[in-house]
Amino acid sequence: MQEPMAITLQVASEPALPFGHGVGHDAQAAFPPELEWQERALCAQTDPEAFFPEKGGSTREAKRVCLSCDVRVECLDYALGNDERFGIWGGLSERERRRVKKRAV
């Protein structure tokens, strides 16, 4: 098995995506200290497409990964705090995150 290729992501004016959300699962990325939790995210070891299913597609696989992830709370906090509108974050879909935000108001 080949060792993963190291990649450093630097994107101006846009927040970093959690590891595995838009970053190839075979890549490593350098994150600012407040986003280091992303390096421990289980989604980094799975197919990122599972976290962004087609409309009407199943979210079951992504949510199953999230259930056993040690950084699920940090991921959900990130998504809520950055108004992420697409994909599964912290084990919740877009619709589920909207409900959480409404209850918090």
Side-chain angles (χ1 to χ4, degrees), residues 82-97:
N82 289 283
D83 200 28
E84 287 294 340
R85 296 177 188 237
F86 302 101
I88 305 301
W89 294 75
L92 300 182
S93 68
E94 306 95 280
R95 180 178 295 155
E96 293 164 331
R97 289 193 304 278

Side-chain angles (χ1 to χ4, degrees), residues 4-9 16-31 35-48 51-52 65 69 71 75 78 88-89:
M5 178 176 51
I7 296 175
T8 301
L9 298 177
L17 293 174
F19 206 75
H21 282 74
V23 176
H25 65 284
D26 61 342
Q28 290 182 333
F31 294 101
L35 299 176
E36 285 180 355
W37 59 268
Q38 295 175 1
E39 294 179 282
R40 300 186 319 274
L42 286 180
C43 58
Q45 302 164 31
T46 35
D47 181 5
F51 294 86
F52 297 93
V65 170
C69 184
V71 296
C75 181
Y78 175 87
I88 305 301
W89 294 75

